[in-house]
Every structure is written in structure tokens, then in C-alpha cells.
Amino acid sequence: MTGLSVTTRDVSVRYGAARALDGVTLDLAPGRIHGLLGRNGAGKTTLLSLLASFQRPDSGDVALDGRDPFEDARLMQDTSLMRATGDLAADLKIRDILRLHRTGRAHFDRDLADHLLDRFDIPRRRSLARLSRGQQSVVAATIGLASRAPLTMLDEVHLGMDAPTRQEFTEALLADFAEHPRTIIVSSHLIHEIEHVLETVTILHRGRVVLSEEADDLRTQGTTVTGRADRVEVMTRDLRVVGRRDLGPTREATVLGRPHPAWVTEAERQGLQLGAAPLQDLFIHLTSDRDAA
Amino acid sequence: MNAPTSPRRSGSSGPPTDSLTDTSVRAGSPAGSAPGMTHDDTAMTPTTAEPWVRLTRYVLRCMLGITAGTVAVLAVAWAVAVVLASTAGVELLAQITHYATVSTVPWVAFTALVICVGVQVRHYVHAGFTRRAVTAAGLLGSLVVGVVFAVAATALDRVGLGLVAASLGVELSMTLAPWWALLGAMLMVCLTGAVCGVLVGASFVRWGGWATLLLPLTVGLPYFAQDVLARSVTLRGEGPGGPPSWLEQVQAALPTVPTAALSLLALGLTVAGAWLILRRLPLPPRANP
Amino acid sequence: MFEGRDPIYLQIAEAIRGEILTGALQEGNQVMSTTQYATTYRINPATAAKAFAELVAEEILVKQRGVGMFVAEGATDRLRAARREAFFDERLAPVVREAAALGITAAELTAYLHTHLDQEDDR
């Protein structure tokens, strides 16, 4: 089991007059951890729900390992989408919810599920609705991990978890992923917490893919150039500037693309400071309607 | 750069699982197995029946729980009614026994399928089942429930009521239809009740509250067709508690065989309706609260 | 953590080289597994694996199948040699060029170096 590959071709979904997805074309390689980022309403959950066969696109094609997953018994069994709330049966007891997912998932690891639920003192005899929001998220994240689905999607599954709990789940995710490689898609607003976990980053904005790259490339390609505003302007004139911030006479410009070594030398000679733009910054710049070029 | 410090593995805190000990435990466990014959491969493979088979088992288990609870409640209520009727000196009319069997049992089947299949479609798909598997489990579950309940209701009607009435010294005034006719009618009623549960649940998942408007179609019509059949079989006769006059007229126009055909058609349409709603049922994500 | 402009796997490789040079990691010591590294620093296991692959290619680490990664015999010397070369080429050469441009004499430079190297020895 090394995971499913994900392909979408010109996928669109409309809810009434609103376009949730608008011509999304995407390729995600199997066996890696992919990040899907976007602001609220960008279409992340809609895109993931297509991969999970919750619904079909109005137009375009979705394929997992080259096949349409909708109503494909094997692909649907091998695909799991977990969100913090909204999909699990709120009125069922935790142990009954676990039993259902054990029934549905061929690779479900009962020991892993028990281990995680015990660790966070989740009562099995209580109904999901009677747990706190953080506990509900723990249940969802646990089922998502323990299902060991070759395509595992965790959509804002951390909601309501406190920081130590999120940390433990990230560690559990990484440990289990190392032992049982599979395709994982993580969606989260806490970008700085998952930044180094991701191998690729895809950013959705208003139903479109604005960026889909290797995380390593993104790190080295995103550069902040800081210094006197006029010098920054001249130096970045021919580069892809995705955002500017001014602090008095000092300007910080975030540019995409790997700067040429000669350019770096020249920039440093002019007293400009170069730094790695955190993913969070790139994300904000790319999804800000005000600043986007 | 903050350098990660000391990437050395301390002797005491090893990795969580030690593959060597793991293997030795497993290899040692099958007692008397010939050396060299490993059971590991089969032990590692998850037990995988087809998904729809697993879901059907899950659904049947769910319905067993619901049915047991409901039957327990109904049995108490029914016993109380019988005792009250006998102490008040009221005759156990055919109408009462009719409601105790023909009219309540299918509703138990209906409820069980609504709870265990109809409204769970989202959760079953979420757990990795296809809509086809959910439909198969719903229809197979309906079949099992229909047969079991029909046999139970017939036995209750034929044996149970008589025994209870005799033990209480009450006279049962009813015209008995042949047992096979009663069983046949009960089978149709219970099957339809169960399948209606799938249809009603699915239509609520599909259209939300608006599905209430569809209830006359999704449960009213099929149920009416079965009720006509059941009455024409069990109550074809005279006496108090017989069918109301307008229904008698309907039955006069539609004797048993056409009525049975009609009820089969109603059952078929209900099954088709459930499949039409389920096969491409979109389950768009609900907003995170 | 990992704020440099380089890819994270290069930063990890560099950190491990540093630990070997300072003696925190001795030759023959076992290095954390990919999984342990990934969970400890909450990074992708593939990133850690890439860093280890880089160091194996440089013969700084050796892989023992089924056991794990170990610091190679002679790793410290190899690292020192590489660093010395880089030190003269990448660090000292520009300094010398700049000194020449500023008119600083060889005598001034060596005097400065003697003073500071003596201070370093005293510590």
C-alpha cells in the first residue's frame, strides 16, 4: 500500500449561482503528504468531497489511480475524508461510530484507534454530540488516521484541539505515515504548524488553483527583499512580486521565483536584506484580493 | 539556524515496535504448525468480505437492536390492552387484533429501516461504502426483516392471540383467513414497510425538510396498497370490526388477485424509487459550525 | 526552527555535520531513525530521509540494513577536510581580496590573525 494518485481535470462545481470550484486541474503524486490551503469558502472542502465521492463535479474529471472513484467499491473503501465536525453521526456512541468505520475500512487499525482515544480520555459510551468540540476533533482525527486509507484527507481536523493535542496528532500522523506510507492531503489554517510536514503545497483561491508546487521549491522561491523602498522597487521590477509591505521608508517585497546569483550579489551590495518568506506570508499574499498582482 | 540537537538514539527509548520480537511472537503462536510453514501472510491480510456483505451484516445487527427494543415496548403495551379489555369485559374484536398485528408490525420494520439505513446514507458513504452497497444492504435488510416480521405477525395472529384470549377466558370474534393468505399479505405489508423506511430516509437526506411533503407518495401510497390487500385477505367477512363500507366497495371492485398484483406493483415502485434517489445521491459537505 | 533560505533537508544535513564536528555525535554512534527524526522535529519523513541520503552519499553516514544509520568511520576527518577547503575558498579569499582593495598590508593581516588566534587558544 503506497497510496492513490490524485488527478483532476478542469473540474467545476456550482452551488446555485455560486461557483465553488472553477476549472480546477491538479496532480498529486501517491505516497506523499500534500497541503491544500485556502481561505474560508475557497473550495477546499468541495474539492476534497469530490475525491471522497460525496458528490460529482458539474463538469470535468476526477480520477484516483486513473479511475473515476464515484461508486467504485475499492476506491471508495480506500478513500477517507475526515473533518472536525459535520460528517460523523452525532447521536451515535463513540464505540458504535468506531464499529461502523471498522466495518467500512479494510485496513482499520483498532489498536492505533484505542491508543489515541485512551491517550485523550475519550469516553466510548458517550454519544459524539455530548463531547466537547476538541474531543470531537480527536475522534475524527483518530478515525482518519486509524482507517489507514490509501488516500487519507484531513480537512481542518484540528478545529477545537488545544496546542499540545495538535502537536501529538502531528507526531502520530508522521510516525504512522513513516510506517505505512500513503497519500495524505492536509488542509489547515494553522499553516506555520504544518508547514514542514507538507511535501507539496496547493493553494486554492475563489475556486481556482493559484499555486501547486513542491514545498521545498516554494521555500527557496519565495524571497523577501527588504530595504529602502526605491531600491527595492528597482531591484524587483522584473520579478514576480506577490506583495508589498511598507514600514516608513522601508519596504518589504515578497517575490516568487528563484533569484539569480548575480541578482543576489547586486541586492546585497545595495544593502537589501534577503530572507525566506514563510509559507504563511506567501499564502496571505497569494490569497489577498487587495494586494494580488 | 536553530540546530536540532543530539540526533542520537538513547538506548532506553527505542522505537515503539520491535519487529524482531513481533515476528517471533507471531511465529510461535500457531501451535503444532510445521516449521517453515508461515501463517504470517494470512494473518496480515485483513478479513475482507465484499463491502456490501459487511454493511448488510452491520445493518442487520443495528435492526436487531432496534427491533428488540420496540417489540419489548409493544408487547407490554399489548398485554396491558388485553388485560384492560378483559377486565372491562370488552370483546377482543377483530379490529383490535388487526391493529395489533397487521398495522403495528410493519411500522416497526419501517422505523428500523429508517433508523438503520435511510438516514445513515451519509455516514455509510463517509465510512467508505458505495451507494450501491447501501442500497443492497437496505434491500437485503428489508427482505430479512419482511420475512421474519411476517412470520412473527402471522404466528402472533394465529397462535398467540388465541392462547392469550383462551388464558384470559375472552372470546375472539373474528373470521380467520387461511394462514397462507395471511402470511402472504403480512409478507407484502412488512416488506413494503421496510422498503418505505429506506425510501423515506433517503428522501429526507436528499431534500431535507421538504421531503415531508413527499410522505404521502413515499409512504402513504405504498402503504395504502398493502393495507387494502391485508384487509381484503384477513377481514373478508362479516361482523363488527370489518372494513368500512367504502373500502368494501373498493374490495368488491378489486378482488384478491388484482389487489395482490397492485400491491406487488406498489412494492416494486417503492424499491425503484429508493434506488433512483440513492444511486447518485449527492452528499455535499455541510458547513462546519 | 528551519528558518534559513535553504531547503529543510539541507539544513538538517548541515545540523548533523555540525554535531559530528563538535563531537556531539561520535563515529560509530547510531543516528535517530527517519521516523524518530520526523516526529521529534515534526517534519516530513521524506525530508529527513533526503537529508540522510545526502550524508550517505558524502560517506558521512553509513546505513546498516535493518538496523539503522551510523556515523561513518573517518567522517570527522572527511568533514574537517571539506570544511578547511571551503574555509579558504569561500571565507578567506573574499577577505583577502577586500583587504587588498582597502590597502591593508599582509603584515597587518597576520598580526591581527596572531592576536585573535592566541585569544582563541586561551579559551
Side-chain angles (χ1 to χ4, degrees):
Chain A
M1 181 180 70
T2 51
L4 298 172
S5 71
V6 175
T7 317
T8 73
R9 286 289 171 267
D10 204 21
V11 160
S12 296
V13 172
R14 256 170 251 105
Y15 294 129
R19 271 175 181 269
L21 292 178
D22 189 5
V24 169
T25 292
L26 194 62
D27 289 285
L28 300 176
R32 313 183 76 189
I33 303 182
H34 304 277
L36 181 64
L37 310 179
R39 294 168 62 179
N40 291 333
K44 299 175 304 245
T45 301
T46 300
L47 177 58
L48 296 180
S49 76
L50 297 179
L51 305 182
S53 298
F54 287 6
Q55 55 184 337
R56 311 189 87 171
D58 292 319
S59 62
D61 297 310
V62 171
L64 304 180
D65 266 5
R67 293 205 313 274
D68 182 358
F70 195 84
E71 288 300 276
D72 182 310
R74 192 183 71 77
L75 288 176
M76 282 181 69
Q77 167 173 291
D78 283 354
T79 302
S80 158
L81 166 56
M82 278 292 155
R83 298 193 295 153
T85 45
D87 293 319
L88 296 172
D91 50 347
L92 286 190
K93 290 192 176 80
I94 301 306
R95 59 173 184 191
D96 293 331
I97 293 175
L98 289 173
R99 197 163 59 79
L100 171 60
H101 286 262
R102 275 207 311 276
T103 310
R105 306 293 179 187
H107 305 288
F108 197 96
D109 187 320
R110 197 172 179 168
D111 294 338
L112 177 63
D114 282 336
H115 167 75
L116 289 171
L117 292 180
D118 286 343
R119 186 162 195 120
F120 297 103
D121 292 327
I122 304 296
R124 312 287 209 285
R125 292 170 165 273
R126 201 171 290 175
S127 71
L128 186 71
R130 291 186 56 210
L131 298 185
S132 74
R133 189 160 177 189
Q135 286 177 313
Q136 292 184 10
S137 294
V138 166
V139 172
T142 297
I143 293 174
L145 268 191
S147 291
R148 294 244 169 89
L151 173 58
T152 298
M153 297 176 274
L154 303 171
D155 182 13
E156 301 288 351
V157 85
H158 62 273
L159 283 176
M161 287 185 193
D162 57 17
T165 307
R166 289 200 299 272
Q167 223 171 67
E168 284 210 43
F169 262 102
T170 304
E171 284 163 21
L173 170 80
L174 289 169
D176 203 59
F177 171 74
E179 305 264 318
H180 305 275
R182 50 207 194 256
T183 311
I184 295 181
I185 304 178
V186 181
S187 162
S188 171
H189 282 116
L190 301 171
I191 296 171
H192 62 280
E193 286 191 11
I194 58 163
E195 180 172 356
H196 298 150
V197 169
L198 307 177
E199 290 175 78
T200 79
V201 174
T202 298
I203 297 179
L204 274 186
H205 187 53
R206 296 184 178 275
R208 292 167 187 260
V209 176
V210 294
L211 179 148
S212 186
E213 288 184 33
E214 294 287 313
D216 263 351
D217 290 348
L218 200 55
R219 278 184 60 78
T220 47
Q221 287 184 15
T223 309
T224 55
V225 188
T226 315
R228 265 177 52 183
D230 53 340
R231 289 184 182 172
V232 169
E233 276 314 292
V234 170
M235 282 307 290
T236 59
R237 200 169 41 201
D238 299 328
L239 300 175
R240 192 174 155 202
V241 179
V242 292
R244 290 184 183 82
R245 271 179 297 211
D246 285 323
L247 193 73
T250 302
R251 173 165 292 176
E252 181 187 272
T254 305
V255 296
L256 282 190
R258 190 188 295 271
H260 194 270
W263 183 93
V264 172
T265 313
E266 176 60 19
E268 282 168 350
R269 204 185 60 78
Q270 294 200 21
L272 301 180
Q273 287 187 321
L274 304 182
L279 183 55
Q280 174 100 5
D281 272 11
L282 289 176
F283 171 75
I284 291 171
H285 284 309
L286 287 168
T287 59
S288 147
D289 293 319
R290 189 166 41 86
D291 292 337
Chain B
M1 182 182 71
N2 293 327
T5 50
S6 177
R8 192 180 347 188
R9 197 169 77 179
S10 72
S12 55
S13 65
T17 52
D18 189 332
S19 58
L20 285 173
T21 49
D22 198 32
T23 316
S24 64
V25 167
R26 254 192 289 116
S29 55
S33 63
M37 279 185 64
T38 61
H39 290 242
D40 290 10
D41 287 356
T42 48
M44 292 304 285
T45 314
T47 48
T48 44
E50 287 293 305
W52 64 270
V53 176
R54 281 183 272 143
L55 186 59
T56 304
R57 272 193 231 126
Y58 179 90
V59 164
L60 286 176
R61 190 175 153 174
C62 170
M63 288 190 297
L64 189 67
I66 302 247
T67 310
T70 317
V71 167
V73 171
L74 280 179
V76 171
W78 190 76
V80 169
V82 169
V83 171
L84 282 180
S86 68
T87 50
V90 178
E91 271 189 308
L92 271 179
L93 302 177
Q95 193 77 345
I96 294 176
T97 63
H98 174 81
Y99 277 114
T101 55
V102 177
S103 296
T104 47
V105 173
W107 285 109
V108 180
F110 173 78
T111 312
L113 266 296
V114 167
I115 294 174
C116 294
V117 179
V119 297
Q120 303 289 344
V121 184
R122 176 182 292 275
H123 304 128
Y124 292 163
V125 171
H126 188 219
F129 293 106
T130 58
R131 293 151 183 80
R132 236 182 2 258
V134 176
T135 312
L139 294 181
L140 280 171
S142 296
L143 187 65
V144 171
V145 160
V147 171
V148 170
F149 280 27
V151 169
T154 306
L156 188 70
D157 193 276
R158 269 307 121 91
V159 189
L161 284 183
L163 284 179
V164 173
S167 69
L168 291 169
V170 203
E171 191 190 337
L172 273 173
S173 67
M174 57 191 291
T175 316
L176 295 176
W179 70 266
W180 51 267
L182 179 64
L183 181 62
M186 288 307 302
L187 193 58
M188 291 306 290
V189 176
C190 292
L191 271 178
T192 305
V195 177
C196 279
V198 179
L199 178 64
V200 167
S203 61
F204 269 90
V205 171
R206 178 73 181 82
W207 291 290
W210 293 104
T212 317
L213 298 176
L214 289 173
L215 280 177
L217 258 180
T218 51
V219 68
L221 269 183
Y223 215 80
F224 177 72
Q226 308 313 333
D227 205 48
V228 168
L229 174 72
R231 283 167 190 270
S232 83
V233 169
T234 57
L235 298 177
R236 192 171 286 278
E238 74 302 323
S245 56
W246 66 270
L247 200 57
E248 268 182 302
Q249 282 163 16
V250 171
Q251 281 160 7
L254 284 173
T256 303
V257 171
T259 314
L262 183 74
S263 75
L264 262 178
L265 180 69
L267 178 62
L269 286 176
T270 314
V271 170
W275 171 232
L276 278 177
I277 293 178
L278 284 171
R279 60 196 283 259
R280 285 177 188 277
L281 184 67
L283 299 162
R286 291 181 290 200
N288 270 328
Chain C
M1 198 182 297
F2 307 121
E3 273 131 15
R5 283 180 64 212
D6 291 330
I8 292 164
Y9 79 94
L10 290 181
Q11 298 185 41
I12 293 171
E14 190 55 29
I16 293 174
R17 285 190 204 105
E19 302 238 331
I20 294 170
L21 279 172
T22 59
L25 269 175
Q26 305 275 337
E27 289 176 14
N29 277 168
Q30 187 168 11
V31 177
M32 280 200 284
S33 72
T34 312
T35 309
Q36 286 171 318
Y37 219 100
T39 54
T40 305
Y41 299 107
R42 288 191 288 284
I43 55 164
N44 194 290
T47 309
K50 221 166 146 186
F52 289 150
E54 177 102 354
L55 293 172
V56 167
E58 291 173 12
E59 295 177 13
I60 303 299
L61 297 183
V62 284
K63 185 189 257 176
Q64 285 187 26
R65 198 167 283 282
V67 187
M69 290 280 189
F70 295 85
V71 179
E73 294 299 325
T76 320
D77 288 343
R78 265 193 293 282
L79 274 174
R80 284 231 173 88
R83 291 270 165 132
R84 287 166 74 96
E85 206 171 304
F87 175 77
F88 285 108
D89 288 354
E90 292 167 20
R91 304 270 174 100
L92 216 46
V95 171
V96 171
R97 267 199 301 277
E98 178 107 20
L102 293 170
I104 297 170
T105 63
E108 279 178 288
L109 267 182
T110 43
Y112 177 89
L113 285 178
H114 279 303
T115 323
H116 283 264
L117 284 173
D118 288 346
Q119 283 172 7
E120 199 66 27
D121 284 343
D122 292 344
R123 258 201 258 153

